[in-house]
Amino acid sequence: MSVVTTTPKKPAHQAGDDYVPTDELIRQQGVQPIASPNDVATDDPFASDDEHADFLADLYASRRSSLS
């Protein structure tokens, strides 16, 4: 089963408006459906467990700082 999500209908184009419907962006960019989750699987982006831990520590710290 295939699911396609599109943008809602929008009134006619207005001056200075850069809105492009999702269907048009898909056509322009030649996007194709993903046949298998393996098509988007990548190698581990972190070189080591320490690099992963450092990334998470920085991420959590930045989230906490935005709460104050």
Side-chain angles (χ1 to χ4, degrees):
M1 180 175 143
S2 177
V3 175
V4 176
T5 303
T6 60
T7 53
K9 299 290 182 200
K10 185 174 182 201
H13 177 74
Q14 300 171 6
D17 187 5
D18 62 356
Y19 172 82
V20 179
T22 303
D23 294 341
E24 177 60 18
L25 290 173
I26 290 169
R27 188 192 66 71
Q28 289 175 6
Q29 297 176 13
V31 175
Q32 297 295 317
I34 298 170
S36 164
N38 293 332
D39 293 347
V40 293
T42 61
D43 293 329
D44 189 354
F46 300 101
S48 68
D49 288 343
D50 288 339
E51 187 176 300
H52 183 245
D54 291 344
F55 168 78
L56 291 177
D58 183 64
L59 174 66
Y60 298 147
S62 68
R63 288 181 177 175
R64 283 190 299 273
S65 70
S66 69
L67 294 175
S68 49

